[in-house]
Amino acid sequence: MPSRRSVIATLLGGTIGGATLTDARSYLDRFAPLSGEVWGGATADTPDRVATPYGRATVRYDDAGIPTVAGANEQSLYFAVGYVHAADRLFEMDLIRRRMRGTLSAAVGERTVESDRFHRQMDFLGAAEASWRAVRDTPTGDAMRAYAAGVEAHRTSEALPLEFRLLDYEPTAWTPVDSMLVEKQISWGLTGSFRTLRRTVAAETLGESAAATLFPDRMDHDVPILRGGGQRESGGNDSADAPALASSDDSTGGGPVGSDTGSSDLAPLGSWLDDFETDPGVGSNSWLVSGEHTDSGRPLLANDPHLTLMAPPVWYQMHQRHPGTRVAGVTFPGVPFVVIGENSAGAWGFTNVGADVLDVYTYETRDDEYKYGDEWRSFDTEEQFIEVSDGDDRTVTVRKTVHGPVLEREGQRVGVAWTGLQASRTAVAVHELDRSDGREDALETLRKFDTPTQNVVYADRDGNTAYTMTGLIPVREGDGESVRGDRVFDGSAREGEWPGYEPYGEPDRETGWIPFDEKPGVRDPSYVGTANQRVVDDPEYYLSEAYSAPFRARRIDDLLDERAAADEPFDFEFLRRVQRDVLDERARSFVPVILDARDAMGDRARRVADRLDGWDYRMDRDSRAALVFARFVAHYRRAVFDPVFDAVGLDDSYYPNDWVLLGLGPDSPWFTDPPVDGVAERDRPAVVAAAMGATASGIDEEGYETYGDYNRTAFDHPFGLAFLNYPRLPTDGSPHTVRNFRKESAVGSSFRLLARFDGEPSVGILPGGNDGEYFSDHYSDQLRAWADAEYRPLRPTTSGEPAVRFEPSDSADTGGVSSE
């Protein structure tokens, strides 16, 4: 009989085909006694009564497995929330904390050694401990202790989820520090970018001009978040005209001219770090409309954060209630508070700012010292061991400087400063936001939202609205002057210093950061939309080295502008229509270029390109033209950049965004004067024709007929096993449509919220299911609705027998629980 480890290796190798419950059970039954343990744990029922030291609470589930948790007091509520999170998402929670602690390999073996090495060197655990020290003596600390106790009540008394049985380990006790690690994971996933390092490598390898094209300081467009001080004027861009593209304000097609090319010693380090930094597709949409412009006279608000799409989803949806507080929306498993949603007073949403909150430093070193100014300092050094399941354990040297951690690879090392390495009050901010009593109260608590940097839209039931930016953003100094953060700094020369910064400690928040009141923001805008684009045209402070391409922002602004110009009130159906919109601004800009290149194409490529003639530029699943355009862009990107990148050993992490790609004009040096010997001058129509030829061949080989054949929900479980992955359903949208879906990287709308204040319920939808247990009816039951852009009302379940009652563990009666 095969050993348990060999069974696990087979499972992790993804050799299970098919995806039915019967198939899964049949497979597991072959390996008794493993199968009995797995099956018994997976199908165990949650008890209907649980002892609690905090007071009474109840849990009621609706028909999608979304719980309404009601507590007699705040701590009894959060104890129950912890229990519910553990019941439905314990493995996901444990996986996140293992990743951030750098202990994945102890559970899954060799494949995660490099991940553990990176996370140990960054010491996210030390940062989480600093955040807990800042929070533990506050009411938020009390709430997080109660939450951890609830997680523990489930972990220590109930059967473990399927994944623990397959991997043959038991999770350790959950602590508030683990919740802080989840917060650090969220912040890193949104702001942990080594773009500056990649730009430096590109400049050293291809020349400064080429790097400036690949990584423009500024994209030339007219759709910042705040136009005219935040007051949107009607009219705006004429949506009937194709918008022009340009790679930057200075150049419409700059490229690799110049002789300053060669190689970069930092390239191997940069390539290694690419596996651990922020996904470039991560973004979000939000917009709000003042009640002055709506049919109900009440504000409207929309938000859909674009995060990794996986099984189970990154969010957990729920309703939370205790006397004086009612809040509904989505939480991160591992953290007790609702992050995006609504309470009795208002509603709010977040999108990523893209602020530059990470710097990279090089040093002059000798032995185990680095030079800092006029003195030599010893690295703060610790040897740590990485346990590797069924493999050889590793040793990793963790070094730190005054700036923070030192990352090392193939003899190269850099120091890193990141705002998330400090103590953060974000947990306090979100906790208080859940309890906020209107706009001014919400804006006041957002001052404590230290990381990550976010655009926030807020509307309350009295009609007050606001947009604001939140999060700590450093004001860098060098030689006594403020400097930009868009280059690798000489740490030994004390370039790019952050006054007030304290890695793994408490920062001085009054020194060295952009003051909250001086960050961009506006109260009561007529309407405002955010899509990770530039915030303002001329900021007082340096904010970012790069924002997202403005395609989504332009479309949102056009739709809002057109509605305002039509003198027709905004209504909830319009809000829904915008969030469902699938017109791709890239296509409207570049399809004419493709059609003009048809004379250079072969017969098959020309016939495929002809499908684009007369297309409405909408990325609908039933569209043949949408399929052609999506696949063309991927082949065109490779056709433009791969000949150069391959010649100098750069990988696809150096691809620029599509605003840059599609903005390269026919006279761009990327076509006329490539920087690398052996890459010949090219004609843009010929490159377009070659990309269309590859598109036609690829479509034939795959047998695709429509966009939906290609554009499917490939949302996978971390194990990568077929039976644990979600079904592959056709859907609409693209990486640059409002209805957002990045098929290649499995990133997109991770929760859709439409909030209203007219007496009807707000609505939302998850991309999957609320329960992380594969055998649950709610493992993927919202997936089809998400794929079809449908919604569910955010309506609490307040009647019927509770699924779980939490009763005091002593004889004291700590109060009843009301669902009202």
Side-chain angles (χ1 to χ4, degrees), residues 717-777:
H717 186 278
F719 278 11
L721 298 177
F723 80 93
L724 290 175
N725 298 337
Y726 280 168
R728 271 49 171 160
L729 303 178
T731 190
D732 309 310
S734 80
H736 293 285
T737 55
V738 180
R739 182 173 166 185
N740 195 258
F741 179 47
R742 297 161 171 82
K743 190 263 186 187
E744 294 296 334
S745 58
V747 170
S749 300
S750 60
F751 177 66
R752 296 187 182 119
L753 170 70
L754 300 176
R756 63 198 303 180
F757 304 93
D758 59 359
E760 295 297 319
S762 300
V763 299
I765 197 70
L766 282 176
N770 221 34
D771 196 341
E773 174 55 67
Y774 169 73
F775 300 98
S776 167
D777 292 338

Side-chain angles (χ1 to χ4, degrees), residues 340-490:
I340 292 172
E342 61 180 5
N343 65 10
S344 300
W348 56 91
F350 293 92
T351 65
N352 208 30
V353 171
D356 186 358
V357 296
L358 184 152
D359 280 343
V360 176
Y361 302 84
T362 59
Y363 304 98
E364 181 182 348
T365 63
R366 66 182 187 191
D367 299 326
D368 203 29
E369 295 180 318
Y370 68 99
K371 191 174 184 181
Y372 183 63
D374 295 328
E375 62 180 333
W376 287 91
R377 296 190 177 188
S378 296
F379 288 105
D380 181 0
T381 304
E382 180 184 0
E383 296 292 320
Q384 296 186 12
F385 293 93
I386 298 174
E387 181 184 351
V388 181
S389 176
D390 288 342
D392 296 331
D393 294 346
R394 308 292 206 278
T395 300
V396 58
T397 302
V398 178
R399 292 186 175 89
K400 296 175 183 174
T401 70
V402 65
H403 299 112
V406 175
L407 301 177
E408 303 182 59
R409 186 73 171 178
E410 296 186 15
Q412 295 300 314
R413 59 174 59 156
V414 295
V416 175
W418 177 54
T419 52
L421 294 174
Q422 308 172 109
S424 168
R425 302 167 298 169
T426 295
V428 175
V430 177
H431 181 207
E432 293 181 355
L433 186 61
D434 285 357
R435 301 180 296 172
S436 61
D437 189 26
R439 181 183 67 187
E440 298 309 311
D441 196 19
L443 291 177
E444 185 63 28
T445 195
L446 286 169
R447 293 174 178 272
K448 303 172 187 175
F449 197 105
D450 292 330
T451 59
T453 48
Q454 295 285 284
N455 300 302
V456 186
V457 291
Y458 182 89
D460 68 26
R461 299 184 189 279
D462 293 328
N464 303 301
T465 64
Y467 159 82
T468 192
M469 178 194 294
T470 192
L472 292 177
I473 303 175
V475 180
R476 300 157 174 88
E477 291 185 358
D479 294 328
E481 298 181 352
S482 295
V483 297
R484 294 172 59 89
D486 54 358
R487 62 187 176 91
V488 174
F489 290 116
D490 183 342

Side-chain angles (χ1 to χ4, degrees), residues 100-377:
M100 298 304 286
R101 285 176 178 266
T103 59
L104 275 174
S105 300
V108 304
E110 293 279 349
R111 70 183 60 199
T112 57
V113 167
E114 291 307 309
S115 173
D116 285 350
R117 190 185 307 277
F118 168 78
H119 287 88
R120 295 290 188 94
Q121 288 183 1
M122 285 293 296
D123 191 15
F124 291 110
L125 176 59
E129 291 171 338
S131 290
W132 174 239
R133 290 193 296 271
V135 168
R136 63 188 176 192
D137 296 328
T138 69
T140 301
D142 294 336
M144 296 181 77
R145 272 186 285 265
Y147 173 84
V151 174
E152 281 298 280
H154 187 278
R155 184 191 69 85
T156 57
S157 63
E158 304 304 323
L160 293 173
L162 167 71
E163 294 91 341
F164 291 110
R165 303 301 180 108
L166 295 177
L167 288 173
D168 193 24
Y169 81 92
E170 294 187 3
T172 58
W174 189 268
T175 70
V177 171
D178 294 320
S179 293
M180 292 302 185
L181 277 169
V182 175
E183 179 188 304
K184 297 301 179 184
Q185 155 74 12
I186 298 160
S187 295
W188 180 257
L190 294 171
T191 63
S193 170
F194 291 105
R195 182 182 191 271
T196 298
L197 187 62
R198 284 197 306 280
R199 190 195 187 286
T200 298
V201 171
E204 292 175 351
T205 305
L206 299 172
E208 178 57 37
S209 181
T213 299
L214 297 172
F215 303 96
D217 293 335
R218 179 184 175 100
M219 289 175 283
D220 185 19
H221 63 79
D222 58 357
V223 286
I225 291 174
L226 297 182
R227 299 181 292 172
Q231 294 296 328
R232 306 296 198 177
E233 301 296 334
S234 63
N237 303 321
D238 185 351
S239 63
D241 296 330
L245 293 175
S247 61
S248 71
D249 282 355
D250 306 307
S251 168
T252 59
V257 174
S259 58
D260 53 340
T261 62
S263 61
S264 172
D265 291 338
L266 293 172
L269 178 62
S271 295
W272 180 63
L273 293 175
D274 178 57
D275 290 336
F276 311 117
E277 64 177 326
T278 301
D279 189 306
V282 167
S284 302
N285 300 323
S286 70
W287 57 95
L288 64 81
V289 181
S290 165
E292 295 179 6
H293 299 278
T294 66
D295 62 342
S296 67
R298 303 280 186 169
L300 294 169
L301 182 147
N303 185 209
D304 59 300
H306 306 160
L307 301 175
T308 299
L309 300 173
M310 57 187 289
V314 297
W315 298 104
Y316 184 87
Q317 189 176 351
M318 66 193 321
H319 301 261
Q320 298 180 359
R321 293 182 161 209
H322 68 82
T325 297
R326 300 179 185 180
V327 60
V330 286
T331 61
F332 285 110
V335 181
F337 313 120
V338 170
V339 179
I340 292 172
E342 61 180 5
N343 65 10
S344 300
W348 56 91
F350 293 92
T351 65
N352 208 30
V353 171
D356 186 358
V357 296
L358 184 152
D359 280 343
V360 176
Y361 302 84
T362 59
Y363 304 98
E364 181 182 348
T365 63
R366 66 182 187 191
D367 299 326
D368 203 29
E369 295 180 318
Y370 68 99
K371 191 174 184 181
Y372 183 63
D374 295 328
E375 62 180 333
W376 287 91
R377 296 190 177 188

